[in-house]
Amino acid sequence: MSDDLSEARVLVTELVGDRAGEWDRAGRIPTEVVRRLGEEGLLCAEVPARFGGRGWSSLDNGGFTAHVGSLCSSLRSLMTSQGMAAWAVQRFGSAAQRKHYLSRLTGGELVGIGFSEPGAGSDLSAMGTTIRVEGDAVVVDGTKVWLTGAGYADLLVVVGRFGDGAAAVVVPTTAAGVSVRPVPDPMGCRAAGHSTVELRDVRLPLDALLSGAGQPVSMLVTTALTYGRVSVAWGCVGILRACLTAATRHAASRVQSGKPLAEHQLVAGHLADLLVAEQVATRVCEHASRCWDDSSPEMVTAAVVAKHVSATNAARQASTAVQVLASAGAEDGHVVARAYRDAKLMEIIEGSNEICRLVLAEHALAVAS
């Protein structure tokens, strides 16, 4: 592990400490914590160094994401959102836009990225948000739901329809016509700033429109979602590691019927299942990140596999961890109680389990034909 990565792990461990449960119950991470990580370039660490980022590979950033996910899934969710937005700017922005926006995103400003809408969740081709050019302005109208990080954000990357294609526009949350309303009492990742964002006749300078405007909806969305899927998958590895640690420590120290829980075969079986799930998730994530780093044609499929396998394992094995800890793990804010709620959301975001399976089935059929 490089010194840069080791120092980043130490910093985030110190900043989070034992406060993740408190943040979860409060529904808020102190803004100074999030901004500090933003200023360090750690919320979007794959951004090249010339724009103020760390320039990490997907594999290195994935390991860091897993570490953050083991500490606080809400914080990891903010990393995923910031990273997706930065990747969208990097992929679709002009040279001037990349220099302008990426330096802001690695300098402490916070950003969310908006895809989902009330009538367009998994089917993003049904998006109703519109982006259009009127004279010397770009105008945005629409509603985005469950926009992660919007409760903290200075900027939003909003995806919408642009003529016959799609576009992304960078919207300051202070712009006239922008309204951000927190999602009340979300089930999981309670401190991730999930919000509903209303955009009503929001008028911005033309250079707020990323230069890739007019791309097919599928291309723009898939490009951003692939990054998000890899990030979520690594975050699920972190959830699994946190659950494995909590369950094994409890089972080794808790005595039941005259011997440690870990010596009861059924409990030992739970621990084995947790370990296997963590190892499998880690390996599929490593493969996906290597595909990303190598610009492999397998990248999109590998990202879907990693997200599906890791999220499914995290949800199932978080339940196992609660079972092992029993009442000790059922208290609100406890690491496995948080994991149980957080992991379930991971089976929904960035492509639900059902969508992932459909994508993978289509891939299997294409390979076989």
Side-chain angles (χ1 to χ4, degrees):
M1 185 183 299
S2 69
D3 290 343
D4 191 33
L5 190 53
S6 296
E7 290 170 3
R9 286 169 62 101
V10 170
L11 174 62
V12 75
T13 301
E14 290 176 348
L15 287 174
V16 176
D18 61 357
R19 295 187 290 165
E22 171 191 331
W23 297 343
D24 182 68
R25 290 189 296 273
R28 186 78 184 178
I29 301 171
T31 304
E32 61 269 20
V33 171
V34 185
R35 289 205 184 277
R36 171 71 188 282
L37 293 172
E39 290 166 359
E40 295 286 342
L42 292 174
L43 296 181
C44 48
E46 292 181 47
V47 170
R50 65 181 181 278
F51 300 121
R54 297 285 179 131
W56 287 353
S57 66
S58 176
L59 192 59
D60 283 346
N61 192 40
F64 180 67
T65 301
H67 180 65
V68 176
S70 72
L71 300 172
C72 177
S73 284
S74 289
L75 181 56
R76 193 278 310 153
S77 294
L78 295 179
M79 286 177 57
T80 297
S81 182
Q82 189 100 351
M84 288 174 71
W87 174 243
V89 171
Q90 192 173 330
R91 179 67 178 79
F92 295 109
S94 66
Q97 288 172 325
R98 290 194 295 271
K99 181 178 180 180
H100 175 70
Y101 288 118
L102 293 178
S103 62
R104 293 173 66 178
L105 300 188
T106 58
E109 290 193 62
L110 306 175
V111 63
I113 184 166
F115 294 102
S116 295
E117 300 181 3
S122 296
D123 180 15
L124 290 173
S125 65
M127 281 191 300
T129 295
T130 60
I131 300 170
R132 65 187 186 277
V133 173
E134 291 186 0
D136 59 355
V138 58
V139 184
V140 189
D141 278 288
T143 301
K144 295 296 182 181
V145 296
W146 282 89
L147 202 159
T148 302
Y152 300 89
D154 304 294
L155 302 170
L156 302 172
V157 174
V158 175
V159 178
R161 293 201 163 278
F162 184 80
D164 294 330
V169 62
V170 183
V171 180
T173 53
T174 55
V178 177
S179 172
V180 179
R181 300 193 315 274
V183 172
D185 301 318
M187 181 181 79
C189 298
R190 292 170 171 172
H194 302 302
S195 303
T196 296
V197 177
E198 301 277 355
L199 303 121
R200 294 289 174 259
D201 196 36
V202 178
R203 294 178 174 270
L204 305 165
L206 279 176
D207 59 8
L209 180 68
L210 296 185
S211 62
Q215 299 280 350
V217 174
S218 59
M219 176 177 287
L220 194 153
V221 170
T222 299
T223 298
L225 282 185
T226 298
Y227 181 100
R229 285 168 174 160
V230 174
S231 182
V232 167
W234 277 111
C236 288
V237 170
I239 289 174
L240 284 162
R241 289 176 182 172
C243 287
L244 178 60
T245 297
T248 52
R249 286 178 178 172
H250 180 79
S253 61
R254 173 78 160 88
V255 175
Q256 183 72 32
S257 300
K259 59 182 179 182
L261 276 177
E263 293 182 17
H264 292 266
Q265 286 185 337
L266 292 178
V267 175
H270 286 323
L271 301 181
D273 290 345
L274 273 160
L275 176 62
V276 170
E278 184 274 329
Q279 286 288 295
V280 169
T282 298
R283 300 300 165 256
V284 294
C285 285
E286 288 173 344
H287 175 66
S289 280
R290 289 191 178 101
C291 286
W292 182 282
D293 291 333
D294 296 340
S295 299
S296 167
E298 295 180 51
M299 182 175 65
V300 172
T301 301
V304 177
V305 170
K307 192 272 176 183
H308 181 53
V309 169
S310 299
T312 302
N313 279 346
R316 181 180 297 122
Q317 297 307 325
S319 176
T320 297
V322 173
Q323 193 73 23
V324 171
L325 274 83
S327 59
E331 296 178 6
D332 195 22
H334 189 284
V335 61
V336 299
R338 283 189 286 113
Y340 184 76
R341 291 183 286 97
D342 294 344
K344 186 58 193 174
L345 285 190
M346 299 308 105
E347 291 193 303
I348 299 170
I349 65 170
E350 316 305 358
S352 67
N353 284 358
E354 292 79 8
I355 292 296
C356 288
R357 292 171 72 189
L358 287 172
V359 170
L360 295 175
E362 290 174 0
H363 175 74
L365 289 168
V367 170
S369 63

